Amino acid sequence: MLNSSGTVTWTNASGGNQGLIQTGNAAAINNSGTWLDQTAFDVIVRNDFGGTQSNFNNTGVYTKSGAATTNIAIGFNNTSSGAGTGVVNVNAGILQLGGGGTSNGSFAGAGTLDFSGGTHTLTAASSVANTNVVFSGGTTTLAGAYNASGSTAFTGGTANFTGTVANSGGALTFSTSGGTANFNNSAGVQFSSLNMQAGSISGAQAVTFTGP
């Protein structure tokens, strides 16, 4: 178990295994302070030692500023207990969440948030306000607020929208890998455009597009 209540700065000087975090046997990384992800090259957190899946539990502030891809391939739980807690800032690069998890906190930033695997449950108190959001694997249920101003992209994953979806200018795209978007949210949904090569759109809510 790793407990951090202060400031952690995570960096790497090259690719390969530099910056790799290995876990296993239900180990937990608990961040209640400030976790600064400044990795300049692609990096991963994974369950290399086997056993029950490990979890990264963020009850503080996780900020990604490195331009590379960070793949957290274990469970990721983003839990808020009040202002300034359960905050994930993806200011650059891509943050992949590949191990599922339960979150009531916030996700935001100009970078890309990628739900890449596992089962993610975002409760009614949660919010996603990243510029770009990708659903590349697994199943994600979003019962809170969702607003991706740049793009919402499906490359194989499933997203169940049951909360509030406010897309004032975002595009909806499906790659050849497909994906499923289910809109059963609290009001109709509007995107700027649709590019659909495979996949499906379903649900009780109307989905409209202001452009091609």
Side-chain angles (χ1 to χ4, degrees):
M1 180 181 296
L2 170 63
N3 295 317
S4 173
S5 58
T7 298
V8 172
T9 302
W10 185 17
T11 62
N12 59 357
S14 66
N17 289 330
Q18 284 215 9
L20 168 68
I21 297 178
Q22 297 174 293
T23 66
N25 298 308
I29 301 172
N30 301 312
N31 175 52
S32 60
T34 300
W35 189 286
L36 301 176
D37 178 355
Q38 299 178 356
T39 51
F41 297 86
D42 293 352
V43 71
I44 190 170
V45 184
R46 63 192 181 203
N47 218 56
D48 281 348
F49 303 127
T52 303
Q53 176 176 266
S54 302
N55 287 287
F56 190 119
N57 302 308
N58 180 55
T59 58
V61 178
Y62 182 109
T63 298
K64 176 171 172 54
S65 59
T69 296
T70 297
N71 181 3
I72 300 181
I74 61 175
F76 188 87
N77 304 303
N78 185 36
T79 304
S80 174
S81 58
T85 64
V87 176
V88 174
N89 301 309
V90 187
N91 295 332
I94 300 171
L95 177 62
Q96 290 182 329
L97 302 180
T102 300
S103 300
N104 70 345
S106 63
F107 299 84
T112 298
L113 176 64
D114 182 0
F115 294 99
S116 59
T119 300
H120 293 275
T121 301
L122 277 64
T123 69
S126 69
S127 64
V128 175
N130 297 83
T131 301
N132 301 299
V133 179
V134 178
F135 299 96
S136 62
T139 299
T140 304
T141 298
L142 303 102
Y146 180 87
N147 186 2
S149 59
S151 67
T152 297
F154 286 83
T155 60
T158 295
N160 301 311
F161 297 92
T162 62
T164 303
V165 180
N167 282 80
S168 58
L172 179 61
T173 67
F174 291 79
S175 75
T176 54
S177 298
T180 303
N182 298 312
F183 293 100
N184 292 296
N185 45 292
S186 56
V189 184
Q190 179 174 288
F191 291 93
S192 62
S193 62
L194 173 65
N195 183 340
M196 193 168 190
Q197 301 180 59
S200 64
I201 300 172
S202 64
Q205 282 297 342
V207 181
T208 59
F209 303 94
T210 60

